[in-house]
Amino acid sequence: MFENRVFKLNDNPDNKQGKYVLYVMEASQREEYNHALEYAIKKANQMEKPLIVAFFITDFYKQSNQRYYRFMLEGILKTKKVIEERGIKFIIRKQKYTEGTLDLGKESICIVLDRNYLKTQRTWRKEISQKVSVSVYEVESDVVVPIEIVSEKMVPYAYLYKSKIEKLIDKFLNPVEKLQPKVSSLTLDIESLEIDSVEEFLKILNIDKTVSTVENHFVGGYDEAEKRLKIFIEKKLYRYAELRSDPTKDYTSNLSPYLHFGQISPLKIVLQILKHYNREDENVKSFFNEMIVWRELSRNYCWFNPLYNHYEGLPKWAKDTLEEHIKDKRDYLYSLEDFENAKTHDPYWNAAQKELLKTGKIHNYMRMYWAKKILEWTDNPKTAFDIACYLNDKYALDGRDPNGYGGISWCFGNFDRPWQERKIFGKVRYMNDKGLERKFNIKEYVNKYDNDF
Ligand SMILES: Cc1cc2nc3c(=O)[nH]c(=O)nc-3n(C[C@H](O)[C@H](O)[C@H](O)COP(=O)(O)OP(=O)(O)OC[C@H]3O[C@@H](n4cnc5c(N)ncnc54)[C@H](O)[C@@H]3O)c2cc1C
């Protein structure tokens, strides 16, 4: 079950005198199908000691806002409850991840961490593994096929990633069995914030509260993710290949916020789908192409390219061609504020931005259009890249995710090939409003998001 998913981050031995095994939950915020949690239970059972799970919440980062904190807290409070029902103490502290882990790690046998692909979170893990005297294990649970098994370097195209994954995937389609802890930790006296309401939690956090919450569109939690998955399998998947790109229709899973916070496991999604559908079904193939190939390719990109969230991280040909066209006249030029407030001349672009502001997500097809137009209407591609990242990370529930950096960089040429040269874009693939009009009833999309603005 843990094959190729567990990495030892330092050379320290387990501390046999320790009081408990510590699992620090961060990337995989769930109880089910969580390899890190089950691995931590296994370690605790081997030593006949209790396991404690810790979740650290911080408000030290200026970009943190109540939109996604609310979603995350809705999820984490539900996860706490189901983990405690298994006899495992779940500690929540308002403390930095590294500080909190070092603190609780002092009395531990060993520390188990889940894997995150982004720079800051990787730095935290590295720092912890260097500073503690106990062993630290990192467990990868948020991809179907562990990324370093697929490749030890950056893979430039989705078709290459797909062909590699196809050869490996069968080995990794195993259910994650729940292990029963031998020793309960519920009675351990360890300081934890005992707040069980999301509202109360938000009150004690000094985060940006100017961004609206979106609970009318998305409520956090493993149970909500399960509901969406059920609806997707029963009512949408049979037409996914045909309708997934149409922004006027609701035929995608809407699982990205849940996947982003690890409230549902991608492996579980795959196994659930395969209970109802044949793997050769064209809709299943199309969905797996997005949720396994593209999603895991984005993780490969962030893991192997430290400049993943910067314009400078793009492939050379893309930067060269964009720079050759840097002086091309732009028909429209907008500032960050214009973009943020959906104040461009283009009703389709504005509708996409309004979808983001209102719901916390943009339909995939419109997301491509949205970022391509930021590139077209900004005086240089580097600023455009930064604006797209800023808006996506600030307003999207699924933002701050490898998929966001993968998706934005795709719009600037990454994972793509050169196309016919044209102004501003050079050889980077272009998109225009005529395409939207030809393919979809795009006015319907505009009407949907124009209300209330
Ligand atoms: C400019 C731009 C920015 C994006 N920013 C994000 C982001 O911040 N977070 C995010 O999760 N996705 C992002 N995407 C990818 C994609 O748009 C979303 O994953 C998708 O729209 C989520 O909706 P869904 O869950 O209904 O998708 P479905 O079609 O139901 O797909 C299922 C899952 O597959 C994954 N997936 C789907 N499409 C892609 C893709 N193109 N690349 C990687 N993974 C994919 C997602 O995890 C998604 O939840 C971005 C794409 C672009 C072009």
Side-chain angles (χ1 to χ4, degrees):
M1 167 160 103
F2 304 114
E3 242 170 19
N4 302 114
R5 291 191 186 269
V6 181
F7 306 87
K8 190 148 186 280
L9 298 188
N10 59 14
D11 294 328
N12 300 336
D14 293 351
N15 168 22
K16 301 221 163 68
Q17 315 315 323
K19 288 191 182 155
Y20 46 71
V21 168
L22 169 66
Y23 163 39
V24 184
M25 182 177 280
E26 194 263 332
S28 313
Q29 297 175 20
R30 60 177 179 275
E31 178 261 337
E32 264 209 327
Y33 268 73
N34 182 337
H35 294 91
L37 173 66
E38 301 306 331
Y39 185 73
I41 298 176
K42 182 178 156 192
K43 291 292 292 181
N45 284 353
Q46 278 167 357
M47 308 289 283
E48 309 215 332
K49 287 279 173 70
L51 162 70
I52 60 169
V53 179
F55 182 79
F56 299 107
I57 187 153
T58 45
D59 55 7
F60 304 107
Y61 300 102
K62 66 176 186 326
Q63 64 271 40
S64 308
N65 72 56
Q66 64 171 355
R67 173 173 291 193
Y68 64 88
Y69 263 55
R70 181 185 176 93
F71 184 89
M72 178 176 76
L73 284 165
E74 284 163 348
I76 214 70
L77 291 182
K78 293 174 190 170
T79 294
K80 173 178 169 32
K81 191 163 176 287
V82 281
I83 287 195
E84 289 188 339
E85 281 166 9
R86 285 173 75 180
I88 303 166
K89 189 167 179 78
F90 193 102
I91 291 156
I92 304 183
R93 286 188 180 178
K94 193 177 154 194
Q95 200 172 11
K96 283 187 178 160
Y97 180 91
T98 41
E99 264 176 28
T101 308
L102 294 175
D103 200 4
L104 287 175
K106 279 184 205 135
E107 298 200 276
S108 71
I109 295 162
C110 65
I111 301 173
V112 178
L113 308 172
D114 41 31
R115 177 174 270 196
N116 193 312
Y117 301 88
L118 302 183
K119 279 177 282 191
T120 309
Q121 289 79 353
R122 284 172 73 183
T123 315
W124 295 344
R125 285 154 174 79
K126 198 169 169 203
E127 191 186 328
I128 289 164
S129 68
Q130 288 168 348
K131 286 195 172 160
V132 293
S133 54
V134 298
S135 49
V136 179
Y137 301 91
E138 181 179 74
V139 185
E140 181 163 36
S141 193
D142 284 293
V143 288
V144 178
V145 186
I147 58 149
E148 284 159 300
I149 297 296
V150 180
S151 173
E152 285 173 3
K153 55 181 197 234
M154 203 166 98
V155 178
Y157 300 110
Y159 79 89
L160 288 177
Y161 209 75
K162 184 174 180 185
S163 75
K164 288 172 186 292
I165 279 208
E166 277 173 352
K167 294 188 192 109
L168 297 162
I169 192 165
D170 286 334
K171 202 174 140 206
F172 293 95
L173 295 182
N174 308 313
V176 181
E177 285 150 30
K178 290 193 189 189
L179 304 174
Q180 190 47 41
K182 284 189 189 161
V183 184
S184 166
S185 56
L186 292 178
T187 54
L188 288 183
D189 184 21
I190 303 173
E191 187 195 323
S192 170
L193 280 172
E194 290 308 329
I195 303 178
D196 51 16
S197 120
V198 173
E199 275 69 26
E200 289 303 310
F201 241 119
L202 287 171
K203 273 190 209 155
I204 64 159
L205 295 172
N206 181 24
I207 51 176
D208 178 359
K209 301 205 171 128
T210 62
V211 182
S212 65
T213 55
V214 289
E215 60 272 29
N216 292 340
H217 300 278
F218 288 99
V219 175
Y222 71 91
D223 53 340
E224 296 288 330
E226 295 284 341
K227 275 189 224 157
R228 285 187 190 258
L229 177 59
K230 189 166 184 290
I231 292 172
F232 180 64
I233 294 174
E234 286 174 2
K235 303 209 160 93
K236 300 182 184 185
L237 182 54
Y238 77 107
R239 295 189 74 187
Y240 184 80
E242 177 199 354
L243 294 177
R244 74 175 188 87
S245 288
D246 188 338
T248 67
K249 307 264 185 312
D250 179 18
Y251 274 86
T252 68
S253 70
N254 283 314
L255 283 169
S256 57
Y258 302 92
L259 282 162
H260 168 68
F261 285 99
Q263 294 178 0
I264 190 161
S265 133
L267 175 60
K268 179 171 178 185
I269 296 175
V270 169
L271 295 180
Q272 281 293 107
I273 287 176
L274 293 180
K275 276 188 193 158
H276 299 89
Y277 271 84
N278 188 307
R279 209 155 132 186
E280 292 311 310
D281 183 295
E282 58 162 340
N283 296 294
V284 172
K285 280 187 177 171
S286 170
F287 184 72
F288 286 179
N289 193 45
E290 301 304 320
M291 202 207 57
I292 307 177
V293 178
W294 279 98
R295 184 172 178 277
E296 297 184 11
L297 175 67
S298 297
R299 274 137 188 86
N300 164 283
Y301 179 60
C302 292
W303 191 257
F304 291 109
N305 180 351
L307 295 175
Y308 61 78
N309 56 344
H310 294 280
Y311 167 78
E312 288 75 9
L314 294 173
K316 185 172 178 315
W317 74 265
K319 284 182 290 195
D320 287 348
T321 191
L322 288 170
E323 274 148 42
E324 275 166 30
H325 289 269
I326 213 157
K327 294 216 158 56
D328 291 358
K329 184 177 174 308
R330 273 70 174 152
D331 292 335
Y332 302 93
L333 270 181
Y334 296 109
S335 63
L336 168 62
E337 201 184 358
D338 298 327
F339 285 123
E340 189 157 13
N341 294 310
K343 296 252 181 294
T344 76
H345 66 287
D346 178 350
Y348 310 145
W349 194 93
N350 294 345
Q353 176 64 13
K354 287 174 189 177
E355 183 183 4
L356 178 62
L357 295 174
K358 198 170 170 176
T359 72
K361 186 168 174 286
I362 314 182
H363 186 280
N364 181 51
Y365 200 89
M366 294 309 292
R367 233 166 175 167
M368 296 190 259
Y369 182 77
W370 176 86
K372 293 267 181 198
K373 293 295 156 187
I374 297 178
L375 170 60
E376 189 174 340
W377 301 329
T378 307
D379 63 3
N380 76 74
K382 182 173 162 38
T383 308
F385 192 96
D386 291 344
I387 289 177
C389 287
Y390 172 81
L391 293 176
N392 197 59
D393 286 352
K394 178 170 177 183
Y395 292 103
L397 283 178
D398 60 15
R400 309 153 308 282
D401 187 279
N403 282 357
Y405 307 117
I408 290 168
S409 65
W410 177 85
C411 293
F412 287 66
N414 190 27
F415 309 133
D416 207 359
R417 63 170 171 85
W419 292 70
Q420 200 185 359
E421 191 147 9
R422 50 169 302 125
K423 76 173 193 176
I424 304 170
F425 284 77
K427 291 180 184 151
V428 168
R429 187 199 296 246
Y430 176 68
M431 276 176 86
N432 71 7
D433 50 359
K434 300 284 171 296
L436 298 178
E437 288 161 2
R438 209 174 47 245
K439 289 184 180 146
F440 317 114
N441 184 1
I442 194 68
K443 302 234 157 47
E444 203 181 301
Y445 176 75
V446 173
N447 292 339
K448 192 166 167 194
Y449 295 107
D450 247 353
N451 306 330
D452 303 343
F453 274 85

Coordinates of all heavy atoms in Angstrom, one line a residue, residues 64-98:
S64 N -2.9 35.5 2.8 CA -4.0 34.7 3.2 C -5.3 35.4 3.3 O -5.3 36.5 3.9 CB -3.6 34.2 4.6 OG -2.4 33.6 4.7
N65 N -6.4 34.8 2.8 CA -7.7 35.5 3.0 C -8.8 34.6 3.4 O -8.6 33.3 3.3 CB -8.0 36.3 1.7 CG -8.4 35.4 0.5 OD1 -9.3 34.6 0.6 ND2 -7.7 35.5 -0.6
Q66 N -9.9 35.2 3.8 CA -10.9 34.4 4.5 C -11.7 33.5 3.5 O -12.3 32.5 3.9 CB -11.9 35.3 5.2 CG -12.7 36.2 4.2 CD -13.8 36.9 4.9 OE1 -14.1 36.7 6.1 NE2 -14.4 37.9 4.2
R67 N -11.6 33.8 2.2 CA -12.3 32.9 1.2 C -11.8 31.5 1.3 O -12.5 30.6 1.5 CB -12.1 33.5 -0.2 CG -12.6 32.6 -1.3 CD -12.6 33.2 -2.7 NE -13.5 34.3 -2.8 CZ -13.9 34.8 -4.0 NH1 -13.3 34.4 -5.1 NH2 -14.7 35.8 -4.0
Y68 N -10.5 31.3 1.1 CA -10.0 30.0 1.1 C -9.7 29.4 2.5 O -9.8 28.2 2.8 CB -8.8 29.7 0.2 CG -7.5 30.4 0.5 CD1 -6.6 29.9 1.3 CD2 -7.2 31.6 -0.1 CE1 -5.4 30.5 1.5 CE2 -6.0 32.3 0.1 CZ -5.1 31.7 0.9 OH -3.9 32.3 1.2
Y69 N -9.5 30.3 3.5 CA -9.4 29.8 4.9 C -10.7 29.2 5.4 O -10.7 28.2 6.1 CB -8.9 31.0 5.8 CG -7.4 31.0 6.0 CD1 -6.6 31.0 4.9 CD2 -6.9 30.9 7.3 CE1 -5.2 31.0 5.1 CE2 -5.5 30.9 7.5 CZ -4.7 30.9 6.4 OH -3.3 30.9 6.6
R70 N -11.8 29.9 5.0 CA -13.1 29.3 5.4 C -13.3 27.9 4.9 O -13.6 27.0 5.6 CB -14.2 30.3 4.9 CG -15.5 29.8 5.4 CD -16.7 30.6 4.8 NE -17.9 29.9 5.3 CZ -18.5 30.2 6.4 NH1 -18.2 31.3 7.1 NH2 -19.5 29.5 6.8
F71 N -13.0 27.8 3.6 CA -13.1 26.5 2.9 C -12.3 25.4 3.6 O -12.7 24.3 3.9 CB -12.8 26.6 1.4 CG -13.0 25.4 0.6 CD1 -14.2 25.1 0.0 CD2 -12.0 24.5 0.4 CE1 -14.4 24.0 -0.7 CE2 -12.1 23.3 -0.3 CZ -13.4 23.1 -0.9
M72 N -11.0 25.8 3.9 CA -10.1 24.9 4.5 C -10.5 24.5 5.9 O -10.5 23.3 6.3 CB -8.7 25.6 4.6 CG -7.6 24.8 5.3 SD -6.0 25.6 5.2 CE -6.2 26.8 6.4
L73 N -11.0 25.5 6.7 CA -11.5 25.2 8.1 C -12.7 24.4 8.1 O -12.8 23.5 8.9 CB -11.7 26.6 8.8 CG -10.5 27.3 9.2 CD1 -10.8 28.7 9.6 CD2 -9.8 26.6 10.4
E74 N -13.6 24.6 7.1 CA -14.8 23.7 7.0 C -14.4 22.3 6.9 O -14.9 21.4 7.5 CB -15.7 24.1 5.8 CG -16.5 25.4 6.1 CD -17.0 26.1 4.8 OE1 -16.6 25.7 3.7 OE2 -17.8 27.0 4.9
G75 N -13.3 22.1 6.1 CA -12.8 20.8 5.8 C -12.1 20.2 7.0 O -12.3 19.1 7.5
I76 N -11.2 21.0 7.6 CA -10.4 20.5 8.7 C -11.2 20.1 9.9 O -10.9 19.1 10.6 CB -9.2 21.4 9.0 CG1 -7.9 20.7 9.3 CG2 -9.4 22.4 10.1 CD1 -7.3 19.9 8.3
L77 N -12.2 20.9 10.3 CA -13.0 20.5 11.5 C -13.7 19.2 11.3 O -13.9 18.4 12.2 CB -14.0 21.7 11.8 CG -13.3 23.0 12.3 CD1 -14.3 24.0 12.6 CD2 -12.4 22.7 13.5
K78 N -14.2 18.9 10.0 CA -14.8 17.6 9.8 C -13.8 16.5 9.8 O -14.0 15.4 10.4 CB -15.5 17.6 8.4 CG -16.7 18.6 8.4 CD -17.2 18.7 6.9 CE -18.2 19.8 6.8 NZ -18.6 20.0 5.4
T79 N -12.6 16.8 9.3 CA -11.5 15.8 9.3 C -11.1 15.5 10.8 O -10.9 14.3 11.2 CB -10.3 16.3 8.5 OG1 -10.7 16.3 7.2 CG2 -9.1 15.3 8.6
K80 N -11.0 16.5 11.6 CA -10.7 16.3 13.0 C -11.7 15.3 13.7 O -11.3 14.4 14.4 CB -10.7 17.7 13.7 CG -10.5 17.6 15.2 CD -10.6 19.1 15.7 CE -10.7 19.3 17.2 NZ -10.1 18.5 18.2
K81 N -12.9 15.6 13.4 CA -14.0 14.7 14.0 C -13.8 13.2 13.6 O -13.8 12.4 14.5 CB -15.3 15.3 13.6 CG -16.5 14.7 14.3 CD -17.7 15.6 14.1 CE -18.9 15.0 14.8 NZ -19.4 13.8 14.1
V82 N -13.6 13.0 12.4 CA -13.6 11.6 12.0 C -12.2 10.9 12.4 O -12.2 9.7 12.6 CB -13.8 11.3 10.4 CG1 -15.3 11.4 10.1 CG2 -13.1 12.3 9.6
I83 N -11.2 11.7 12.5 CA -9.9 11.1 13.0 C -10.1 10.8 14.5 O -9.6 9.7 14.9 CB -8.8 12.1 12.7 CG1 -8.5 12.0 11.2 CG2 -7.5 11.7 13.5 CD1 -7.2 12.5 10.7
E84 N -10.7 11.7 15.2 CA -10.9 11.4 16.6 C -11.8 10.2 16.9 O -11.6 9.5 17.8 CB -11.4 12.7 17.4 CG -10.2 13.7 17.4 CD -10.4 14.9 18.2 OE1 -11.6 15.3 18.5 OE2 -9.4 15.6 18.6
E85 N -12.7 10.0 15.9 CA -13.6 8.8 16.1 C -12.8 7.5 15.9 O -13.2 6.4 16.4 CB -14.7 8.8 15.0 CG -15.8 9.7 15.4 CD -16.8 10.1 14.3 OE1 -16.7 9.4 13.2 OE2 -17.6 11.0 14.5
R86 N -11.6 7.6 15.4 CA -10.7 6.4 15.3 C -9.7 6.4 16.5 O -8.8 5.6 16.5 CB -9.9 6.5 14.0 CG -10.7 6.1 12.8 CD -10.0 6.3 11.5 NE -9.0 5.3 11.2 CZ -8.2 5.3 10.1 NH1 -8.3 6.2 9.2 NH2 -7.3 4.3 10.0
G87 N -10.0 7.2 17.5 CA -9.2 7.1 18.7 C -7.8 7.9 18.6 O -6.9 7.6 19.3
I88 N -7.8 8.8 17.7 CA -6.5 9.6 17.5 C -6.7 11.0 17.8 O -7.6 11.7 17.2 CB -6.1 9.4 16.0 CG1 -5.9 7.9 15.6 CG2 -4.8 10.2 15.7 CD1 -5.8 7.7 14.1
K89 N -5.9 11.5 18.7 CA -6.0 12.9 19.1 C -5.6 13.8 17.9 O -4.5 13.6 17.3 CB -5.1 13.2 20.3 CG -5.4 14.6 20.9 CD -4.8 14.7 22.2 CE -5.0 16.1 22.8 NZ -6.4 16.3 23.4
F90 N -6.4 14.8 17.6 CA -6.2 15.8 16.5 C -6.0 17.1 17.1 O -6.9 17.7 17.7 CB -7.4 15.8 15.6 CG -7.1 16.5 14.3 CD1 -6.9 15.7 13.1 CD2 -7.1 17.8 14.2 CE1 -6.6 16.3 11.9 CE2 -6.8 18.5 12.9 CZ -6.6 17.7 11.8
I91 N -4.7 17.6 17.0 CA -4.4 18.9 17.6 C -4.4 20.0 16.6 O -3.8 19.9 15.5 CB -3.0 18.8 18.3 CG1 -3.0 17.8 19.4 CG2 -2.4 20.1 18.7 CD1 -1.7 17.2 19.7
I92 N -5.0 21.1 16.9 CA -5.0 22.3 16.0 C -4.3 23.4 16.8 O -4.7 23.7 17.9 CB -6.4 22.7 15.6 CG1 -7.1 21.6 14.9 CG2 -6.3 23.9 14.6 CD1 -8.5 21.9 14.3
R93 N -3.3 24.0 16.2 CA -2.6 25.1 16.9 C -2.5 26.3 15.9 O -2.2 26.0 14.7 CB -1.3 24.7 17.4 CG -1.3 23.8 18.6 CD 0.1 23.6 19.1 NE 0.1 22.8 20.3 CZ 1.2 22.5 20.9 NH1 2.4 22.9 20.5 NH2 1.2 21.7 22.0
K94 N -2.5 27.5 16.5 CA -2.2 28.6 15.7 C -0.7 28.9 15.8 O -0.2 29.5 16.8 CB -3.0 29.9 16.2 CG -3.0 31.0 15.2 CD -3.8 32.2 15.7 CE -3.3 33.4 15.1 NZ -3.8 34.6 15.8
Q95 N 0.0 28.3 14.9 CA 1.5 28.3 15.0 C 2.1 28.0 13.7 O 1.4 27.3 12.8 CB 1.9 27.2 16.0 CG 3.2 27.3 16.6 CD 3.4 26.2 17.7 OE1 2.7 25.2 17.8 NE2 4.5 26.3 18.4
K96 N 3.3 28.5 13.4 CA 3.9 28.1 12.1 C 4.2 26.6 12.0 O 4.5 26.0 13.0 CB 5.3 28.9 12.0 CG 5.1 30.3 11.7 CD 6.4 31.0 11.4 CE 6.2 32.4 11.0 NZ 7.4 33.2 11.2
Y97 N 4.1 26.1 10.8 CA 4.3 24.7 10.6 C 5.6 24.2 11.1 O 5.6 23.2 11.8 CB 4.2 24.5 9.1 CG 4.3 23.1 8.5 CD1 3.2 22.3 8.4 CD2 5.6 22.6 8.2 CE1 3.4 21.0 7.8 CE2 5.7 21.3 7.7 CZ 4.6 20.5 7.5 OH 4.7 19.2 7.0
T98 N 6.7 24.9 10.9 CA 8.0 24.4 11.3 C 8.1 24.5 12.8 O 8.4 23.5 13.5 CB 9.1 25.2 10.7 OG1 8.8 26.6 10.7 CG2 9.4 24.8 9.3

